[in-house]
Amino acid sequence: MMPNPTTISCEAYGAAQKLQNTTAQLVENCSMCYKRGTESCEEQTDENGKTGFKCNCKGSYSMSTCWYTSDACTPDTCNGHGKCSDTLGDIKCDCDWGYEGGLCEVNKDRVSNTTDAFFKRLGNYILDFPTIYALQTNTWTFLTIFAKTLGKIYVSNGEDDPQETHQAARAFFMTLGTSCVLFFNDPYLFKISQATCRMFFIMIHFCFMGAMIQWMLEGYNANQVVRCVHLNEWEKDFKFRKSLGIMAAPRMSFPLILLALALALVFKSNWYYLPSTWTCLGVICNQTTSVLLSAIWIVLCLVVSTAAFAESSVLLTYRRPLYNLKIRQRIENNVGIIDGWVAEKCRRNTVLCFIGAWLLSITWLFAILASDERSKYFFGWTLTVVSTLYGSFSFFQGLYTDPNTWSTILWFAMKRFPARFAPNFDPISMWTREEVNELTKLPKDQQEIMKDQTLPLNKRIFLHHKWDRLLNEKLENGSGVEEALLEILRGEMKNRHVLSGSPLLKNQLQETFSEFVKSVSERPPRMDLLGVNAKSEAVTLCAEKGDGSARVAKFMLVPDIDVFKPAEFYEDAVDVDKKRLENEVDKECYKIAREEAVSQNKFMNSAIKFKYYGKIKE
């Protein structure tokens, strides 16, 4: 039995039912005193000379064993806006609809009976946690857009790629949703009606979930690039065919249509309880539990789907090296290293999309809680911290996955930071830190000119790598060395737009080609990879264990050769042909590794099987 009549809803009628006050009586031992109501216990002798123990009760407790406490609830305890209960001396109020606080003293409804002027309402509104959240989220979004615009160096293909499209759509949904939160999270500011509040409620949640869908689609797009489905291009897959999965209209519209249908089903019943006279984001109560749980389930599905794409991309990156080799060779052979960053940036984005979707889902949940329970500052401060993390992360992700902006940041770091903290190399523009420092010594009016008209070290190395591959392909087809070199030069003059540039650029390109011709004349061509018969192979190794059973291991034997490797230091320019020598070493290492694997058949009671996948081309 609880020590309070209010917990069993009973009342005493007549003298026989009333409790007798036994507080002054002694008990046989201190163990009989109830710990919850006893302050101390001591030995005493009563007026009759009987020795016993006295339970000294706490303030609100009484009776000989300190078990009883009187009902502390009064009709005014909860200010007439809730039901009072007294449990173990603790008063609790179950507040009526529209009231909050420990004693239901806070009226959430600031609209119905307010006479405050607009500027007073504005001052009270700005100092609210949901308003602060909306302000800072919009600020981060605009900063991201401004920084990406400021950092533009080139525009690939003259149009936005899928990743840029998803990021722009996410920025649109976040700006629209947080703007609605900024002005209409509480009807108090503009004294809007319930019908208007319901309209903004639907718009806010559709925008939040629309932004989560864009995070998911961005992760899906990165996963497609890692799986060699396409190179971050609309309408065209890896084999230059049109595919429904990478068409802009179906991908952008179909998930949003499904989201609209899902929300229509979720908000079919009891949704009108969610918007109220004190919040347009949603009320958490018994009537709305089923609706909110369904909405949370939708958000959870989006986050888990994004996590699945991220996990798949990471596993493919580390366990399927052939995909990486395939992408690298397509970029080097057909696209070019600089323009290839349109695809490379997606591979940076695999895990970031999951983190972004996860942070946004937590922000969405705490925005609802902070708007409904404004008197509980825990929700407000948590919303502020989480939204700051999300905004700063989204800002970093937008810069890191945009090659133009990230290249600008690396250039700034190479120019301004000490050598210990500055990056050695910009993989996007292919300039090294030493080259950038030499460039900064020129007058400012010449720096941009020389930046556009100079072939840096790694561009020259890449041209050597490209010409070396083309030369060996032509030699395989039966052409002579001089004839093959002339064909390469004609193709370069026809295809490279840089030859129509300044005389300085033409001279540098001619010098680079002369260095390549000289390296060919001094060293015989390596005849591509035919000297080692390099292959992509699935290897199955079967060996006998100590207990006589067999153990089978499967792995890929991938020759990581004939792939461009940039130099990070300017001193490598002394010998541009060094890259060709390193490639020869890689070729020999592959040859030795494969010969050793084949030789396993001759000892250790093992067997090995090679499945031929074709010569390393694409």
Side-chain angles (χ1 to χ4, degrees):
M1 297 283 288
M2 290 289 186
N4 193 307
T6 59
T7 61
I8 55 177
S9 301
C10 68
E11 296 181 3
Y13 293 98
Q17 293 184 4
K18 290 185 179 179
L19 292 172
Q20 206 176 21
N21 192 347
T22 61
T23 306
Q25 295 179 7
L26 302 180
V27 296
E28 294 181 1
N29 53 68
C30 288
S31 61
M32 299 178 64
C33 302
Y34 283 82
K35 293 182 180 181
R36 60 174 174 264
T38 304
E39 186 172 355
S40 63
C41 178
E42 59 186 7
E43 187 178 5
Q44 285 188 5
T45 303
D46 63 11
E47 56 186 13
N48 298 323
K50 183 180 178 181
T51 301
F53 293 88
K54 178 71 169 64
C55 301
N56 298 317
C57 301
K58 295 178 182 178
S60 60
Y61 285 83
S62 60
M63 299 298 175
S64 59
T65 57
C66 301
W67 69 272
Y68 178 77
T69 178
S70 59
D71 187 2
C73 288
T74 66
D76 298 326
T77 300
C78 297
N79 295 289
H81 303 305
K83 182 180 179 181
C84 177
S85 61
D86 182 5
T87 305
L88 300 178
D90 294 330
I91 297 175
K92 293 184 179 179
C93 289
D94 185 12
C95 299
D96 296 336
W97 176 268
Y99 290 89
E100 64 180 350
L103 300 176
C104 303
E105 72 278 8
V106 179
N107 185 357
K108 295 182 179 181
D109 185 0
R110 299 191 291 178
V111 177
S112 302
N113 301 316
T114 185
T115 57
D116 297 339
F118 174 77
F119 287 104
K120 184 177 180 180
R121 297 200 306 271
L122 180 62
N124 295 333
Y125 189 86
I126 290 177
L127 298 177
D128 219 355
F129 282 111
T131 307
I132 296 172
Y133 147 71
L135 277 172
Q136 72 158 347
T137 303
N138 274 343
T139 301
W140 281 115
T141 303
F142 291 140
L143 278 176
T144 305
I145 296 172
F146 174 76
K148 291 176 71 172
T149 304
L150 193 65
K152 290 293 182 185
I153 299 175
Y154 62 90
V155 180
S156 179
N157 299 328
E159 59 185 30
D160 285 340
D161 53 70
Q163 179 170 291
E164 283 288 334
T165 304
H166 292 312
Q167 291 181 352
R170 171 161 47 88
F172 168 76
F173 281 117
M174 285 302 299
T175 303
L176 181 59
T178 52
S179 296
C180 292
V181 173
L182 177 62
F183 296 107
F184 305 108
N185 73 83
D186 188 346
Y188 170 71
L189 179 61
F190 295 106
K191 292 186 176 181
I192 60 177
S193 64
Q194 283 294 283
T196 306
C197 190
R198 292 188 184 105
M199 179 188 69
F200 284 112
F201 167 81
I202 295 174
M203 185 179 298
I204 288 170
H205 289 282
F206 181 80
C207 288
F208 268 95
M209 294 184 189
M212 291 182 200
I213 285 178
Q214 298 308 316
W215 275 116
M216 182 192 70
L217 292 176
E218 200 173 336
Y220 172 67
N221 181 73
N223 181 258
Q224 283 189 314
V225 173
V226 171
R227 289 188 291 113
C228 298
V229 176
H230 61 84
L231 288 178
N232 194 28
E233 296 176 307
W234 287 119
E235 315 291 337
K236 186 170 61 175
D237 66 7
F238 200 80
K239 296 181 179 179
F240 305 104
R241 300 174 303 187
K242 284 193 173 183
S243 175
L244 182 64
I246 53 176
M247 290 184 179
R251 182 188 285 191
M252 298 300 294
S253 59
F254 187 65
L256 296 177
I257 293 173
L258 287 180
L259 174 62
L261 293 175
L263 291 180
L265 292 175
V266 169
F267 296 150
K268 186 177 180 180
S269 61
N270 290 343
W271 75 275
Y272 44 83
Y273 284 109
L274 286 163
S276 65
T277 55
W278 63 87
T279 176
C280 293
L281 268 67
V283 177
I284 300 176
C285 62
N286 292 332
Q287 294 91 334
T288 61
T289 301
S290 60
V291 180
L292 282 175
L293 286 177
S294 300
I296 290 173
W297 177 253
I298 294 175
V299 171
L300 185 62
C301 288
L302 294 175
V303 174
V304 171
S305 299
T306 311
F309 292 135
E311 181 192 28
S312 173
S313 300
V314 171
L315 292 177
L316 289 173
T317 300
Y318 290 99
R319 296 186 180 182
R320 297 291 184 270
L322 281 178
Y323 280 125
N324 176 59
L325 191 63
K326 190 175 182 180
I327 293 174
R328 290 286 300 174
Q329 290 188 336
R330 168 61 68 83
I331 290 173
E332 292 177 12
N333 296 348
N334 301 95
V335 180
I337 292 295
I338 294 181
D339 290 335
W341 269 94
V342 175
E344 288 286 348
K345 66 181 182 180
C346 294
R347 300 165 70 187
R348 289 181 161 200
N349 203 21
T350 52
V351 178
L352 299 181
C353 294
F354 163 65
I355 298 174
W358 176 67
L359 287 175
L360 180 57
S361 65
I362 297 176
T363 304
W364 169 77
L365 181 61
F366 275 97
I368 298 174
L369 292 170
S371 181
D372 182 35
E373 303 286 348
R374 296 177 191 272
S375 63
K376 296 181 180 179
Y377 293 131
F378 168 77
F379 295 134
W381 283 112
T382 304
L383 172 63
T384 303
V385 172
V386 174
S387 61
T388 301
L389 288 174
Y390 172 76
S392 56
F393 173 81
S394 181
F395 176 75
F396 166 77
Q397 186 261 357
L399 303 188
Y400 184 67
T401 58
D402 183 81
N404 314 296
T405 308
W406 193 249
S407 178
T408 304
I409 294 173
L410 292 178
W411 270 68
F412 177 83
M414 288 190 289
K415 288 180 180 180
R416 305 295 182 184
F417 289 2
R420 180 180 299 179
F421 304 105
N424 293 323
F425 169 65
D426 173 20
I428 300 165
S429 67
M430 303 177 69
W431 284 65
T432 63
R433 177 164 51 85
E434 287 78 6
E435 290 173 322
V436 172
N437 291 334
E438 290 295 324
L439 186 67
T440 55
K441 295 177 182 179
L442 300 175
K444 289 186 177 180
D445 56 339
Q446 297 183 18
Q447 289 183 14
E448 289 298 324
I449 299 175
M450 295 303 296
K451 181 179 178 181
D452 295 334
Q453 298 184 3
T454 301
L455 278 179
L457 164 69
N458 282 296
K459 285 186 179 179
R460 298 199 302 270
I461 293 176
F462 174 69
L463 286 175
H464 276 245
H465 171 81
K466 175 185 175 182
W467 294 334
D468 194 24
R469 177 183 55 80
L470 291 175
L471 174 62
N472 287 288
E473 287 182 357
K474 295 182 183 302
L475 292 178
E476 288 181 30
N477 296 329
S479 300
V481 175
E482 293 184 1
E483 180 185 357
L485 289 173
L486 287 175
E487 290 180 5
I488 292 172
L489 182 59
R490 292 192 194 102
E492 209 54 54
M493 294 176 64
K494 181 179 179 181
N495 297 325
R496 284 189 64 87
H497 63 278
V498 294
L499 284 179
S500 61
S502 66
L504 176 61
L505 196 58
K506 293 178 182 179
N507 291 335
Q508 291 179 87
L509 193 61
Q510 291 172 358
E511 291 175 1
T512 306
F513 191 78
S514 298
E515 293 173 358
F516 172 70
V517 173
K518 182 180 178 182
S519 68
V520 171
S521 62
E522 293 177 352
R523 294 172 51 83
R526 56 189 177 89
M527 295 299 292
D528 199 14
L529 303 176
L530 295 180
V532 294
N533 195 24
K535 304 167 184 149
S536 299
E537 296 170 303
V539 182
T540 303
L541 178 64
C542 180
E544 184 179 355
K545 297 169 65 175
D547 58 1
S549 61
R551 180 180 179 183
V552 177
K554 296 183 178 182
F555 56 93
M556 296 298 297
L557 189 63
V558 181
D560 188 16
I561 56 180
D562 218 27
V563 175
F564 171 66
K565 297 177 181 179
E568 297 189 3
F569 299 96
Y570 187 77
E571 51 264 31
D572 288 345
V574 177
D575 186 9
V576 178
D577 195 42
K578 182 178 179 181
K579 290 298 176 181
R580 295 182 73 244
L581 293 174
E582 291 177 351
N583 198 68
E584 292 293 329
V585 172
D586 291 339
K587 181 180 67 174
E588 294 300 322
C589 290
Y590 166 75
K591 180 179 179 181
I592 294 172
R594 192 176 187 283
E595 288 176 352
E596 287 296 321
V598 174
S599 66
Q600 296 292 321
N601 285 323
K602 300 179 182 179
F603 60 94
M604 290 175 55
N605 193 23
S606 61
I608 192 166
K609 172 188 174 184
F610 288 88
K611 183 178 180 181
Y612 179 58
Y613 271 80
K615 193 167 62 174
I616 300 295
K617 287 273 178 106
E618 279 187 6

